[in-house]
Amino acid sequence: MTKNNNFFANFKSDFSSGLVVFLVALPLCLGIAMASGAPLFSGIISGIVGGLVVGYLSTSHLSVSGPAAGLTAIVLTAITDLGAFDIFLTAVFIAGIIQLILGFIKAGSISNYFPTNVIEGMLAGIGVIIFLKQIPHAFGYDKDYEGDLAFLQPDSENTFSEIFHLVSHIQLGSIIITLLSLFILIIWTKVEFLKKIKLVPPALVAVIVSILLNEFFIFSGSSFSIKSEHLVSLPVPGSIEEFKSIFILPNFSALANTKVWIVGITIAIVASIETLLCIEAADRMDQQKRFTNTNVELKAQGIGNIISSLLGGLPMTSVVVRTSANNTAGAKSKLSTIIHGLLLTICVLSIPSILNKIPLATLAAVLLLIGYKLANPKTILHFWAKGKYQFIPFIATFIAVVFTDLLKGVALGMIISIVFVLKGNMQRAYKFRKEEFHDGDIIHIDLAQEVSFLNKAAIKDTLASIPNQSKVVINATDTVYIAHDILDLIKEFKKITSKELEIKVKLVGFKKAYGLVETGEEDKHVFVESKK
């Protein structure tokens, strides 16, 4: 089979999932652009480039890129400080160049050090956020923008207080459409003949039914009709001139502005970290357990941000919400991501008026199910069963992501994981035991296979606690690597400290290249005795 045939091998499932991601991405692109203080179409441009360009260049099979909620605060502040959107686009261009460089110097390899429990905690936390954030939209309260994942919201509320406020803003038409959409989405996975229809996703059916139902409400003059502020609100260009004005070029004269470079570097770092986290999460979701080349991903993101800036688009990252929607909808390859970008392009240009009839309540129903699947309680039980060293970083990341944001939550989980690694290294660096021997106590210290500088403190404490006039055997027979810090420590103990404390020291298994004198292996009872 040719490579091209393989690319379209799963066309039905990829087209279906691409369609779902398109429906989810549309309001997210608009919402994030609005929250960023940028032109609405800048979010759409970023989504299109993320789908077509990054989707094609990336080696990830599930990841979907587009404007990210995690960058909204940075973008909003930067546009305000820089004074013009075209100057901000120059910073996005710089960010893209930096990401491209990061890809070439293989900085993406850092993702290999993200612990699985932290990534799973991040996914579960985002699942809870998605679910909680969509409850107001499901009831017809759309004050907070679609795509917001932060605990503290721009409308001065937080994830929980927003839910309490919706009581006085309930829209019955939105509730009806949410329940109907949930029914369609759930029943589609239960009825056997419906499950076999691969080309038409249940999300599309839910969208079509909700549009028709709302049009009926409007036609009949029902109080259940959903007003325009609760529908997708895509700008509709009225002329060629208005359409041309959508595309804004970066102001490259601003390259001499130091602030532009600071913003560009900030975007590059934050966007790269979020992308690497999402890529790790996408690989965890992949049922076929395929791995993504993260260095290629950084290059793809860099090229994507360069092109997005040249067209007037927002900076992008790989995004967990869209990636989760892609996986849940049954995507098999990156063709799904490309199809989502293609559908965004075609539909935004050809049928914007029809898209503006989609109730946000329907899309809330789709995201409610996605959030539930990500935050499956079985995941929590799974890590609980693995013990405290796996569970504590997981649950800390989970809680911190829900109550702060993605980056802060992951940072906390990483710190806790590193502390546990250090503790584990201290405990496993050597075995410490005492034995009764012919003429007194012998203390055995058996070094592990690898002894790094991280073990220095523990070994130092152990040597310091050895009583006067003891006999010590330090055995490095099984050791393949020992840090110079540890060697210096043992050398000082053997030559100086042991002399003062009248300690007899025997070294076994140390290579002469380390600069330490070994006693002969032929007589296990011989010690190197320090001169008094």
Side-chain angles (χ1 to χ4, degrees):
M1 298 289 286
T2 65
K3 187 176 180 180
N4 192 52
N5 287 335
N6 288 332
F7 190 70
F8 292 97
N10 301 292
F11 179 78
K12 287 185 179 179
S13 58
D14 284 338
F15 181 83
S16 175
S17 53
L19 191 52
V20 172
V21 179
F22 154 69
L23 294 172
V24 169
L26 181 62
L28 295 183
C29 289
L30 294 170
I32 290 169
M34 184 180 295
S36 301
L40 290 182
F41 262 110
S42 65
I44 298 293
I45 291 169
S46 179
I48 291 171
V49 174
L52 296 178
V53 178
V54 179
Y56 177 75
L57 296 175
S58 172
T59 60
S60 175
H61 297 276
L62 295 179
S63 172
V64 183
S65 296
L71 293 175
T72 52
I74 295 172
V75 174
L76 180 61
T77 304
I79 293 174
T80 304
D81 288 348
L82 297 176
F85 186 65
D86 61 344
I87 296 177
F88 169 74
L89 291 177
T90 308
V92 179
F93 182 86
I94 291 170
I97 296 292
I98 294 171
Q99 284 186 300
L100 200 55
I101 294 170
L102 289 174
F104 279 110
I105 64 174
K106 302 188 183 302
S109 302
I110 193 176
S111 65
N112 295 322
Y113 299 97
F114 295 151
T116 299
N117 50 4
V118 172
I119 297 298
E120 292 287 356
M122 178 193 77
L123 283 174
I126 289 175
V128 169
I129 293 172
I130 292 172
F131 190 89
L132 295 176
K133 292 285 189 183
Q134 292 308 312
I135 292 175
H137 296 296
F139 282 82
Y141 184 47
D142 301 303
K143 190 175 181 182
D144 188 31
Y145 71 91
E146 279 284 4
D148 183 18
L149 295 179
F151 181 71
L152 298 175
Q153 300 177 175
D155 60 359
S156 301
E157 301 294 338
N158 61 54
T159 303
F160 294 103
S161 65
E162 188 86 356
I163 295 173
F164 293 122
H165 277 295
L166 70 82
V167 176
S168 55
H169 297 87
I170 290 177
Q171 217 281 333
L172 290 178
S174 293
I175 296 175
I176 292 170
I177 283 179
T178 297
L179 293 174
L180 180 61
S181 299
L182 283 172
F183 174 78
I184 293 170
L185 294 170
I186 294 171
I187 202 71
W188 206 274
T189 62
K190 303 295 182 183
V191 179
E192 202 60 39
F193 81 90
L194 292 176
K195 288 165 66 175
K196 294 179 180 178
I197 305 174
K198 299 292 185 183
L199 202 59
V200 181
L204 178 61
V205 177
V207 165
I208 293 172
V209 170
S210 65
I211 290 174
L212 294 175
L213 181 59
N214 191 48
E215 287 299 305
F216 171 75
F217 287 155
I218 294 171
F219 179 77
S220 61
S222 171
S223 59
F224 292 154
S225 62
I226 299 176
K227 297 179 181 178
S228 59
E229 59 263 32
H230 304 299
L231 306 174
V232 170
S233 54
L234 183 68
V236 181
S239 63
I240 298 295
E241 286 70 26
E242 285 184 28
F243 178 75
K244 288 181 179 178
S245 67
I246 292 170
F247 303 100
I248 303 171
L249 288 173
N251 183 353
F252 287 111
S253 64
L255 283 172
N257 187 338
T258 306
K259 286 184 178 180
V260 171
W261 283 90
I262 293 172
V263 172
I265 293 169
T266 303
I267 291 173
I269 293 171
V270 176
S272 297
I273 293 172
E274 286 207 13
T275 290
L276 293 177
L277 287 168
C278 183
I279 289 298
E280 285 298 305
D283 286 351
R284 292 289 302 168
M285 294 179 201
D286 190 1
Q287 293 182 353
Q288 298 182 46
K289 300 304 175 187
R290 294 164 292 187
F291 294 102
T292 301
N293 186 325
T294 49
N295 296 310
V296 172
E297 184 66 31
L298 286 179
K299 294 176 188 176
Q301 294 288 334
I303 293 171
N305 276 319
I306 291 170
I307 294 174
S308 181
S309 69
L310 294 174
L311 296 175
L314 289 175
M316 71 187 69
T317 71
S318 178
V319 186
V320 175
V321 178
R322 296 182 183 108
T323 301
S324 303
N326 197 30
N327 176 64
T328 303
K332 302 296 183 186
S333 74
K334 65 180 185 178
L335 178 62
S336 171
T337 303
I338 297 171
I339 288 172
H340 125 270
L342 193 61
L343 288 173
L344 266 177
T345 307
I346 295 170
C347 294
V348 165
L349 293 177
S350 60
I351 54 169
S353 299
I354 295 176
L355 297 179
N356 284 343
K357 295 180 183 294
I358 301 175
L360 293 177
T362 302
L363 303 176
V366 175
L367 289 169
L368 281 170
L369 291 181
I370 291 170
Y372 173 76
K373 289 179 180 179
L374 278 177
N376 194 320
K378 290 181 180 178
T379 306
I380 298 176
L381 296 175
H382 170 73
F383 280 97
W384 173 263
K386 284 192 168 187
K388 63 181 180 180
Y389 291 110
Q390 286 293 313
F391 180 73
I392 292 176
F394 165 81
I395 202 67
T397 304
F398 170 76
I399 294 171
V401 166
V402 173
F403 286 95
T404 56
D405 57 40
L406 184 150
L407 290 181
K408 291 187 180 73
V410 169
L412 177 63
M414 289 290 292
I415 290 170
I416 294 173
S417 294
I418 290 170
V419 169
F420 284 168
V421 167
L422 293 176
K423 186 175 181 181
N425 269 276
M426 288 174 66
Q427 292 174 341
R428 291 188 290 272
Y430 58 91
K431 291 180 181 178
F432 178 56
R433 53 196 169 89
K434 290 175 97 175
E435 288 182 4
E436 286 295 324
F437 204 55
H438 295 294
D439 51 355
D441 287 343
I442 294 184
I443 299 172
H444 290 261
I445 299 176
D446 300 329
L447 299 182
Q449 197 171 30
E450 292 189 7
V451 186
S452 73
F453 73 95
L454 299 174
N455 312 126
K456 183 177 179 179
I459 294 176
K460 189 175 183 180
D461 288 343
T462 299
L463 294 177
S465 65
I466 293 174
N468 295 4
Q469 299 179 342
S470 299
K471 299 169 185 177
V472 183
V473 178
I474 303 178
N475 191 343
T477 303
D478 297 327
T479 306
V480 295
Y481 167 77
I482 183 167
H484 285 285
D485 286 9
I486 306 299
L487 290 169
D488 290 341
L489 180 65
I490 294 173
K491 185 185 293 185
E492 289 171 5
F493 175 77
K494 175 176 172 287
K495 289 186 176 180
I496 303 171
T497 308
S498 62
K499 180 190 295 186
E500 297 172 356
L501 301 177
E502 300 181 1
I503 296 172
K504 297 178 181 179
V505 181
K506 177 183 178 183
L507 305 179
V508 177
F510 288 88
K511 296 178 181 178
K512 290 182 180 179
Y514 289 157
L516 294 176
V517 179
E518 288 189 16
T519 56
E521 289 290 327
E522 67 282 352
D523 187 353
K524 300 295 183 182
H525 304 272
V526 177
F527 286 86
V528 176
E529 185 172 1
S530 300
K531 294 181 180 179
K532 295 182 181 179

